[in-house]
Amino acid sequence: MKSGQSRGSGRFGAGAPPVAVPMAVMLTIGLWGLDRGGMWGDESVTFQVAQRTVPQIWRLLHDVDAVHGLYYLFMHAVLTVHPGEVVLRLPSVCAATATAGLVAALGVRLAGPRVGLGAGVLYAITPMAGHYAQEGRSYALVAAGVAGATLMLVRAVGEGGVRAWWPYGTVVGLTCVLHELAVPVLGAHAVTLALLRVPRRVWSGWGRAAGAVALLVLPLVWVSQGQAGQVAWLVPPGWDRVGRLARNFSPGPAGPVFWGALLLMAVGLRERRTAAVALPLLLVPPGILMTVSQVRPLYHDRYVLYALAGASLLVAAGAGRVARELGRVRFDGRRMRVGARPVRALLGVTGVLALTVTFLTQLPVHRQDRSATHRPDNLAVVSALAVRQMRPGDPVLFVPSVGRLAALAYPKGFQRVRDIALRESAPRSGTLWGLEATPGELRRRLASVDRVWVVAERSALDPRRSPPDPVERTKLAVLAQEFTVREEYVHEERVRDDVLLRLYVRRPPGDTPTGDEPPGEPSGLRSPGVSAGAPALGAPAPAPSAQDPPFVARHPA
């Protein structure tokens, strides 16, 4: 590794720009449009769980979300400063900023300052990095931990001392406790050591560090296995998911930018030192999770966000090799010298222009991603609709119960109404969205009211649906048999699964469903959408037209 160190120890590499510039770019992109005007389902879980007391959080982790336990405790301290949406996302922004700097530092150490600068900026401008930099979840923090651990691995190999493995083991351990699906990075690092052909003493130091990490993470893995139902919505990934991940890892998901990035990655494989670090990081974690997921689905793109660093390093290494080859071109029998000032200036300007054009081509994607409508759902909109339409004391029913996240994240819209199915609140019950009444008790409660508001996904009210939960089946059965729809307020965006608010009123005596149309479904409305499968209230959609109201009222004939 010493030759790699010397390559990055020149005059330019000794300064801050190769690391500082990518961090500044990532920070700017991360802060741009950070306040989207609404949280989506997973963010709302972070928001409401982190505001519980530490004993309440600890109780929750015994039954659900143990994999996010450390993150919730960390966010508990963060939201103590100020419980708001921007503060919720700031740790992810800071983590993404740190990751861009760490990727740049890796590039500097492996291949020199120009490659480091390019790798860091490429990471920062990739839409996938910007997406999770603005998400109130742990994925950006995990990416920072993996990037830091990889840098420490390279340093430990170069230094060769026993003490160098303690920082590496500590960072990897904390990262894997932050999210246990970061464990495959150990496999990537093992492949890196094999490709570098390190001596036995290096394997010994790394093995002890990896063993300590395994012992630390084992209890978390054991507990989380009992909570596997939380990811029951995942499916075995096919080749389509491989193609999707490749596009997510590129600075541009299609067109010349995508194919140019793939070409540069192929060229970058010839940079053996960089490829030995970047290629395993890029391929091994997704490969492990996709393989395991053929038997037990665990894979999602966000779980391997940290592998994006490998793609950025390979692309930058390929670009650096192309630049060096161009410097060997002869003109009039004379070879250009890469060290010559005019050539360095030309290559630098070309690199800046290439990165700028790459970012500009993806600017519409970045803009779209900063709209709340481009997340799976917007719970703030649901709450605002409830404020406008519900009267004090009105009963409200969430179908399914996960829809209660809107009330937990934005209680203002629901503070005047009565949650008719709720038996015990989420914090007191140690659950994510509370305990509901038994089917018999729920029937008695609904029998005492003549009108009830229902907050639901459209597909959740599909009468052909038979949910496994008896309480959810009871909700659908009572609504279909005893109530009819009087009003409906639906988000006007064309989403996969509209979030709607319906007012149900009791049927007059003797009025029963005719069977001509699905019970409880007002005529003239669109057919149920297709559920995304994840526990969310909606799905991504384009922004609404400025001429149209965000919601329209629909009344059955």
Side-chain angles (χ1 to χ4, degrees):
M1 299 298 291
K2 291 181 180 180
S3 61
Q5 294 174 34
S6 62
R7 186 179 290 183
S9 61
R11 180 177 57 84
F12 181 67
V19 173
V21 171
M23 293 181 69
V25 173
M26 186 74 257
L27 181 62
T28 302
I29 292 175
L31 293 176
W32 168 32
L34 188 60
D35 187 1
R36 293 191 297 271
M39 291 181 282
W40 73 284
D42 281 9
E43 284 187 313
S44 73
V45 171
T46 300
F47 190 71
Q48 57 107 352
V49 169
Q51 292 185 81
R52 300 182 188 184
T53 65
V54 172
Q56 287 175 336
I57 296 174
W58 182 251
R59 181 185 176 188
L60 171 75
L61 300 180
H62 284 75
D63 296 316
V64 69
D65 261 2
V67 67
H68 297 298
L70 180 60
Y71 177 66
Y72 288 153
L73 292 171
F74 168 70
M75 291 304 298
H76 172 78
V78 171
L79 293 183
T80 300
V81 178
H82 177 72
E85 292 178 34
V86 172
V87 175
L88 174 73
R89 297 172 186 135
L90 274 179
S92 293
V93 175
C94 295
T97 301
T99 305
L102 289 166
V103 171
L106 260 172
V108 170
R109 189 174 187 96
L110 292 169
R114 294 177 185 83
V115 170
L117 177 62
V121 173
L122 277 170
Y123 184 92
I125 65 176
T126 300
M128 187 180 188
H131 179 94
Y132 290 105
Q134 296 197 327
E135 189 126 297
R137 298 297 276 174
S138 64
Y139 309 113
L141 280 74
V142 173
V146 168
T150 305
L151 179 60
M152 291 179 181
L153 175 79
V154 173
R155 287 179 175 172
V157 171
E159 294 173 5
V162 176
R163 293 183 179 180
W165 294 106
W166 282 102
Y168 168 80
T170 301
V171 173
V172 174
L174 287 175
T175 303
C176 292
V177 172
L178 191 61
H179 200 292
E180 65 184 38
L181 292 185
V183 170
V185 76
L186 289 173
H189 290 169
V191 174
T192 291
L193 296 182
L195 292 174
L196 292 175
R197 299 179 181 179
V198 298
R200 183 176 298 179
R201 59 181 176 79
V202 173
W203 277 107
S204 176
W206 178 83
R208 285 193 293 269
V213 171
L215 290 176
L216 178 66
V217 177
L218 192 60
L220 175 61
V221 174
W222 178 266
V223 173
S224 64
Q225 291 306 300
Q227 303 173 1
Q230 287 186 271
V231 292
W233 55 275
L234 292 173
V235 297
W239 287 108
D240 59 322
R241 298 306 296 268
V242 176
R244 172 179 164 178
L245 183 65
R247 284 171 168 76
N248 283 339
F249 277 5
S250 169
V257 172
F258 174 70
W259 294 109
L262 286 184
L263 180 60
L264 288 175
M265 287 175 66
V267 175
L269 293 177
R270 300 193 64 182
E271 297 291 309
R272 294 184 178 180
R273 187 178 300 103
T274 305
V277 175
L279 189 63
L281 183 59
L282 172 63
L283 297 182
V284 172
I288 290 175
L289 285 186
M290 286 186 177
T291 302
V292 171
S293 293
Q294 303 307 313
V295 178
R296 184 174 185 177
L298 291 172
Y299 175 80
H300 194 282
D301 291 357
R302 62 193 178 200
Y303 299 155
V304 292
L305 169 67
Y306 56 84
L308 171 61
S312 300
L313 283 166
L314 273 181
V315 173
R321 186 174 186 89
V322 169
R324 290 199 305 277
E325 293 298 329
L326 289 176
R328 297 190 179 99
V329 175
R330 292 177 179 272
F331 291 95
D332 296 329
R334 295 183 180 182
R335 179 183 296 180
M336 289 194 308
R337 289 186 300 110
V338 177
R341 184 172 299 177
V343 176
R344 287 205 312 268
L346 179 61
L347 292 176
V349 170
T350 303
V352 171
L353 286 176
L355 291 170
T356 302
V357 170
T358 298
F359 175 72
L360 291 178
T361 59
Q362 299 309 308
L363 192 57
V365 178
H366 286 283
R367 283 178 175 170
Q368 189 180 44
D369 206 40
R370 275 142 188 80
S371 169
T373 60
H374 201 62
R375 301 285 163 157
D377 45 63
N378 185 354
L379 303 185
V381 174
V382 179
S383 180
L385 181 63
V387 169
R388 293 197 298 268
Q389 304 300 334
M390 295 183 186
R391 301 186 310 213
D394 275 352
V396 61
L397 186 68
F398 296 96
V399 183
S401 58
V402 65
R404 191 171 289 107
L405 287 176
L408 293 170
Y410 297 98
K412 180 180 178 181
F414 299 90
Q415 61 188 4
R416 302 180 304 167
V417 299
R418 175 165 55 104
D419 190 338
I420 196 168
L422 186 64
R423 184 177 68 190
E424 189 174 7
S425 69
R428 292 187 60 185
S429 63
T431 61
L432 288 178
W433 42 78
L435 291 180
E436 296 193 323
T438 62
E441 177 61 23
L442 181 58
R443 283 185 177 273
R444 288 191 292 271
R445 292 184 183 185
L446 288 171
S448 67
V449 299
D450 293 325
R451 51 183 271 148
V452 59
W453 288 98
V454 174
V455 177
E457 295 174 347
R458 181 180 294 280
S459 65
L461 297 175
D462 185 349
R464 297 166 293 184
R465 182 172 167 267
S466 180
D469 188 346
V471 177
E472 299 300 334
R473 291 200 301 271
T474 300
K475 293 176 185 178
L476 296 179
V478 172
L479 290 174
Q481 295 165 7
E482 302 180 17
F483 291 84
T484 187
V485 179
R486 173 174 290 179
E487 301 173 13
E488 180 178 283
Y489 300 86
V490 60
H491 209 188
E492 188 60 9
E493 299 160 0
R494 302 300 181 184
V495 299
R496 288 177 298 176
D497 204 1
D498 290 331
V499 180
L500 53 82
L501 179 66
R502 280 182 179 174
L503 175 61
Y504 282 78
V505 296
R506 188 166 296 279
R507 293 181 181 276
D511 182 15
T512 57
T514 63
D516 295 334
E517 62 184 33
E521 182 76 22
S523 60
L525 297 181
R526 287 177 284 159
S527 60
V530 179
S531 175
L537 288 177
S545 169
Q547 288 79 23
D548 296 328
F551 285 88
V552 286
R554 299 185 180 185
H555 305 272

